[in-house]
């Protein structure tokens, strides 16, 4: 039995299982853990945990036998994972300890998270341009453009239909959202917090949607070719990771395109009421609380205007 320290957590790595002992992989343990948690966690938490596991954990150690998991195997996974994914990884390992399988994690010792990105962490305009150039396939590139230009949530984009868009008047309506971690779990429901809204479109967004309409026969704006299947939200997250890597920009979530939209508008002097309306926030307080870090930039805009008088 070997003692290792990873991110401040003490992890005891047991010796390899003896011959003839049934092996258990991390994925098998994960499947047991998530099935159990389904009964005591809300749906949004289950979805978030599954997304983090599928993006940051399972592709790298899912097939690993628990007896073979070492500090050297976990270290790079944890270094590149989100704080939430690291939390899920450790919870699953602790769950295994209860049943006498896998790595033993001393639960009374808190491991150190990688610093978490603050809410509303925005891309720069230069990074956005690099990201769009690196984004593929075409449906994902178009999603990046529309997310940045409208501030829409991932699920709202995936549930967007052509009937929601008025090309003559230049706006779209957010009427629904798509959720579900696998194709079998896909559901169409009301947008988060009932944030039904109308968003006026800029020229770039309109042109992107017009060009896309010429090549898509589905009722939905964003589907997978060639059979127009609905897109699983997790597919968007996977493509976001790849696009950030190809573009050479620091990895961030697809949701941060929404924060970038709001941050850039506020920092350029757009009234908070207009930004709040575009974002679908329940009230102005939510907008103020989420984007407090941009307020100093608004003060600078005000001073620049006064200096020009």
């Amino acid at each position: 039995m070997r003692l290792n320290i990873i991110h401040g957590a003490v992890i005891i790595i047991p010796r390899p299982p003896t011959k003839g002992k049934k092996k258990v992989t991390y994925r098998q343990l994960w499947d047991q853990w998530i099935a159990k948690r389904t009964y005591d966690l809300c749906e949004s938490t289950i979805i978030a945990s599954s997304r983090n596991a599928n993006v940051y954990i399972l592709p790298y150690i899912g097939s690993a036998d628990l007896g073979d998991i070492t500090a050297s195997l976990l270290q790079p996974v944890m270094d590149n994972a989100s704080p939430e994914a690291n939390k899920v990884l450790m919870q699953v390992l602790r769950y295994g300890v209860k049943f006498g399988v896998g790595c033993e994690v001393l639960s009374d010792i808190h491991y150190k998270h990688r610093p978490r990105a603050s809410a509303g962490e925005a891309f720069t305009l230069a990074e956005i341009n690099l990201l769009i150039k690196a984004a593929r396939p075409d449906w994902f590139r178009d999603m990046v453009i529309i997310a940045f230009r409208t501030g829409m949530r991932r699920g709202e984009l995936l549930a967007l239909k052509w009937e929601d868009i008025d090309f003559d008047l230049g706006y779209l309506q957010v009427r629904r959202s798509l959720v579900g971690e696998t194709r079998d779990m896909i559901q169409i429901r009301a947008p988060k917090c009932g944030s039904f809204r109308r968003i006026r479109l800029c020229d770039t967004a309109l042109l992107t949607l017009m060009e896309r309409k010429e090549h898509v026969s589905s009722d939905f704006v964003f589907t997978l070719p060639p059979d127009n299947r609905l897109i699983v939200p997790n597919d968007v997250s996977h493509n976001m990771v790849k696009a950030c890597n190809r573009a050479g920009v620091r990895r961030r979530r697809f949701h941060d395109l929404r924060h970038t939209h709001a941050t850039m508008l506020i920092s350029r002097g757009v009234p908070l009421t207009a930004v709040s309306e575009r974002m679908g926030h329940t009230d102005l307080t939510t907008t103020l609380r989420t984007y407090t870090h941009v307020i100093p930039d608004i003060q600078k805009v005000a001073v620049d205007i006064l200096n020009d008088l």
Side-chain angles (χ1 to χ4, degrees), residues 117-181:
S118 60
E121 184 178 10
F123 290 92
T124 65
L125 188 57
E127 288 177 326
I128 286 291
N129 291 329
L130 289 172
L131 190 65
I132 291 172
K133 290 179 181 178
R136 47 185 181 266
D138 291 346
W139 65 262
F140 178 70
R141 179 201 61 214
D142 292 345
M143 272 196 72
V144 170
I145 295 172
I146 301 304
F148 167 59
R149 294 287 176 172
T150 65
M152 291 174 67
R153 301 177 178 93
R154 180 184 60 176
E156 294 170 346
L157 287 165
L158 294 178
L160 183 67
K161 293 185 175 182
W162 294 114
E163 65 185 36
D164 302 325
I165 304 172
D166 190 318
F167 287 102
D168 294 328
L169 296 180
Y171 69 83
L172 63 77
Q173 296 188 72
V174 177
R175 293 169 168 162
R176 64 194 76 80
S177 182
L178 183 149
V179 299
E181 288 306 302

Side-chain angles (χ1 to χ4, degrees), residues 232-251:
V232 179
N234 200 44
D235 291 342
V236 178
S237 298
H238 279 297
N239 281 287
M240 186 66 176
V241 171
K242 294 176 182 177
C244 286
N245 290 339
R246 281 194 294 264
V249 301
R250 191 172 57 78
R251 188 184 299 177

Side-chain angles (χ1 to χ4, degrees), residues 117-125 127-128 148 250 252-253 255-264 291 293-294:
S118 60
E121 184 178 10
F123 290 92
T124 65
L125 188 57
E127 288 177 326
I128 286 291
F148 167 59
R250 191 172 57 78
R252 270 158 280 185
R253 305 164 300 167
H255 195 73
D256 285 319
L257 293 169
R258 171 175 164 85
H259 291 313
T260 301
H261 176 80
T263 298
M264 288 192 176
Y291 298 102
H293 61 287
V294 189

Side-chain angles (χ1 to χ4, degrees), residues 83-275:
E84 293 82 1
N86 281 336
K87 181 179 179 180
V88 170
L89 187 156
M90 301 298 281
Q91 286 176 336
V92 174
L93 292 178
R94 291 191 181 105
Y95 172 77
V97 171
K98 294 181 180 180
F99 299 94
V101 295
C103 303
E104 296 181 11
V105 180
L106 303 183
S107 57
D108 58 337
I109 301 211
H110 299 284
Y111 65 94
K112 184 179 180 180
H113 287 296
R114 183 165 60 90
R116 180 176 178 175
S118 60
E121 184 178 10
F123 290 92
T124 65
L125 188 57
E127 288 177 326
I128 286 291
N129 291 329
L130 289 172
L131 190 65
I132 291 172
K133 290 179 181 178
R136 47 185 181 266
D138 291 346
W139 65 262
F140 178 70
R141 179 201 61 214
D142 292 345
M143 272 196 72
V144 170
I145 295 172
I146 301 304
F148 167 59
R149 294 287 176 172
T150 65
M152 291 174 67
R153 301 177 178 93
R154 180 184 60 176
E156 294 170 346
L157 287 165
L158 294 178
L160 183 67
K161 293 185 175 182
W162 294 114
E163 65 185 36
D164 302 325
I165 304 172
D166 190 318
F167 287 102
D168 294 328
L169 296 180
Y171 69 83
L172 63 77
Q173 296 188 72
V174 177
R175 293 169 168 162
R176 64 194 76 80
S177 182
L178 183 149
V179 299
E181 288 306 302
T182 65
R183 204 160 301 284
D184 295 337
M185 295 173 61
I186 285 180
Q187 297 179 30
I188 303 293
R189 57 178 59 177
K192 182 179 179 181
C193 301
S195 53
F196 300 93
R197 62 196 185 280
R198 177 182 293 188
I199 300 175
R200 186 161 295 280
L201 299 169
C202 66
D203 292 343
T204 300
L206 272 172
L207 180 61
T208 300
L209 291 169
M210 286 179 180
E211 291 178 347
R212 181 161 188 78
K213 197 173 192 304
E214 296 178 359
H215 303 95
V216 176
S217 57
S218 169
D219 292 336
F220 290 88
V221 175
F222 297 103
T223 57
L224 290 176
D227 54 354
N228 292 322
R229 289 175 296 153
L230 291 178
I231 299 170
V232 179
N234 200 44
D235 291 342
V236 178
S237 298
H238 279 297
N239 281 287
M240 186 66 176
V241 171
K242 294 176 182 177
C244 286
N245 290 339
R246 281 194 294 264
V249 301
R250 191 172 57 78
R251 188 184 299 177
R252 270 158 280 185
R253 305 164 300 167
F254 185 85
H255 195 73
D256 285 319
L257 293 169
R258 171 175 164 85
H259 291 313
T260 301
H261 176 80
T263 298
M264 288 192 176
L265 291 181
I266 294 172
S267 64
R268 284 162 174 74
V270 175
L272 288 174
T273 50
V275 176

